[in-house]
Amino acid sequence: MKTLLATAAGACALLTTLIASAAEKMPPDTPAAPASALLAPWVGPYGGVPPFDQVKVADLQPALEAGMKQQLAEIDRIANDPAAPTFENTIAAMERTGRTLDRVGTVYGIYSSTLNDDAVQAVEREMAPKLAAFSDQITQNPQLFERISKVYDTRTTSGLTPEQQRLTWVYYTNFVRAGAKLDGAAKKRMSEINQELAKLFTQFGQNVLKDENDGVIFIDKESDLAGLPQGVRDGMAQGAEGRGQKGKWAIANTRSSVEPFLTYADNRALREQAWRMFVNRGDNGGATDNNATISQILQLRAERAKLLGFPTHAHWRLENAMAKTPDRAMELMEAVWTPAVARVHEEVADMQKIADAEKAGIKIEPWDYRYYAEKVRKAKYDLDETQVTPYLQLENLREGMFYMAQELFGFHFKPVEAGKVPVYHPDVRVWEVTDPKGALVGLWYFDPYARKGKRSGAWMNAYRNQERFDGDVKTIVSNNSNFVKGKPGEPVLISWEDARTLFHEFGHALHGLSSNVNYPSVAGTAVARDYVEFPSQLLEHWLPTPEVLNKYALHYQTGKPIPRELVAKIEAADTFNQGFKTVEYLSSALVDMKLHLAGDQKIDADKFERETLTALGMPSEIVMRHRTPQFNHVFSGDGYSAGYYSYLWSDTLTSDAWEAFTEAGGPWDKAVAKRLRDNVFSVGNTIDPADGYRQFRGRDPGIAALMRKRGFPVPPAAPATAGAK
Ligand SMILES: [Zn+2]
């Protein structure tokens, strides 16, 4: 029954929508269902695979509804079981429910995130409140909660394994956190709030998407492209052609289109125009303006937190996170904020010097930052992104990731021959993953290219979780990104930053593939939000190793490996621009947390954002990475609300964990890799993450390694922030 326990992330990198699971056990009295392949257990090789060749969008809604109906019938049987509650007839039985909905939800999530069109959006608007009400119907079932409570009360004395005890704790706390202990009137209000929020989340996300789809700047003079590398120009020409403006160039209103333009375009007025278009998504008045929606979401969240007995939404959200309290998250953010802002002032001074030397006659503004930072990088480190890209071929780097997985975890990747497993788009490819003995570990789906209807960014998604309590079920995971597909036969070249993201998402995939647990609700990446980015961020560190670069970073024309001098420059420039990156991110994380600590006052998002940034001393040359009206992480779902700090929290662990390798035999140290796998990658949510980390590292993490990684001064008595109880 992972459906309602999984948090709908709808964000960054990890898509935990309605995750699927196999080992179908249809109860005999399942209600008659619509004739849809979506409802049937998955068939085919590898313990069954998603039936992508048989999906029709029109089937999604009836299938979701049939899945919900079936799960409610299953839940009713558990709730009304005349036998006394036990782990087996209550908790394990719950793990067996919702199999159909899990499978349908997986396909629905894939259509939402990668094949989204008007028809899918209509299903989303219809189903979001229904799925919210459905979750509440389960968590508010008093007979069911009573049984879960009984199992919970005796969990340490009834002979359960540690994993069974942890799973029982997960169920119990999730039910309590969803309002299982409230009285009838309060439960009713909770459910109203959740349904209203689900509608507002959908509206928020669709508004941002509409501004991104509709916003565009067309350029018709080639001279306005001065400074842009050929690859960027080609992409802009394609973009214009796709919008019926062949012969022009388009700046689309997306990060992947706007950021390269801001980095390279000499035309300052156009940079400003593009920057304004992008930072005002969701903030333009009219039908797609999100400010009123934000206000409503914040009030409903505050009311819900009060109902549940928490001072604010942030306190409720962080209760089961590794940070535990907003104070501890704020403490970490504030410790990093001050040195990061100080670094920004140094960076701006460097940029201003170059602008002055060029007699540009300007003061650095936000639309100048990326442009002049690039010039500083060239001047200081003699490093030019366009020198690096020819060595970064997507398919070679993918092989490099496989090499890393083999060396660290013993995983072997082999392509599944075309046609053996159905895919939802011809660009999608599938690999089978085996262990050193040749036994199946799982499947890895790879959907690398951008297309209309696919949300931007990169993410991992589990189609099926690993489990073993009812038979050995292998996981199915996927990585998704938005690279521009090259012409047939031509290699796809990517940036260093994109290569890092590729390794990051693959880290999430390996977290899923390494899972070695019994119960699906605690498998793979089903861990605390502020812990889940740790395994993925950690694996980014293997990209710059000589072993990966020498073998896999090969020039697309000469086949020669990337020169050592160039790698040395990349390494030297590693902490470059960290002031900008940290402040851009951290300002968003701080505003997110402060919005959700503000309680149930009526909030004007624009005003709140402005005043909060002023109070923080936000440098005027930088804008938040996600301004409030477009902050999908926080307002298109609950997943990262009061949780955007998680990336910094995880990076504290990441930086400290990487030093475990460098202090030992280096990145490929087998003993450290084994400890990492045994205590972090394979355990899912079967143990407390702080305990797992301590077993891996032999101590709690501190922030010193994080400060070193970002090139900030290490405070004299750096507190052991992240791991301390
Ligand atoms: Zn991630």
Side-chain angles (χ1 to χ4, degrees), residues 303-321:
E303 186 188 346
R304 182 175 60 184
K306 279 260 167 64
L307 274 177
L308 292 166
F310 291 84
T312 70
H313 178 73
H315 289 85
W316 176 63
R317 283 292 304 163
L318 268 70
E319 186 197 28
N320 280 349

Side-chain angles (χ1 to χ4, degrees), residues 12-14 458-460 504-505 508 532-533 536-537 540 640 647:
C12 130
L14 187 76
W459 65 95
M460 170 269 194
H504 174 103
E505 298 310 331
H508 284 306
V532 75
E533 297 299 331
S536 54
Q537 287 174 347
E540 293 173 26
Y640 280 81
Y647 294 94

Side-chain angles (χ1 to χ4, degrees), residues 318 323 325-341 582-583 585-594 597 616 642-649 652 703 706-707 712 721:
L318 268 70
T325 65
D327 280 354
R328 293 189 58 213
M330 287 297 292
E331 194 189 332
L332 174 64
M333 288 194 276
E334 281 165 0
V336 180
W337 175 255
T338 309
V341 170
T582 305
V583 164
Y585 155 79
L586 209 44
S587 54
S588 296
L590 283 159
V591 167
D592 163 40
M593 189 61 82
K594 286 173 187 277
L597 282 169
L616 283 168
Y644 197 60
Y645 78 94
S646 299
Y647 294 94
L648 184 71
W649 191 274
T652 310
I703 70 165
L706 174 78
M707 301 304 260
F712 299 156
T721 304

Side-chain angles (χ1 to χ4, degrees), residues 59-105:
D59 291 341
L60 284 174
Q61 185 175 335
L64 285 167
E65 281 174 351
M68 289 193 286
K69 197 170 167 193
Q70 182 183 318
Q71 186 169 1
L72 284 179
E74 293 163 351
I75 298 274
D76 263 355
R77 268 193 299 278
I78 298 170
N80 299 317
D81 188 342
T86 62
F87 175 86
E88 193 50 37
N89 72 19
T90 304
I91 305 293
M94 290 289 286
E95 289 287 273
R96 292 185 184 99
T97 70
R99 299 296 199 181
T100 304
L101 185 59
D102 284 347
R103 287 192 306 270
V104 179

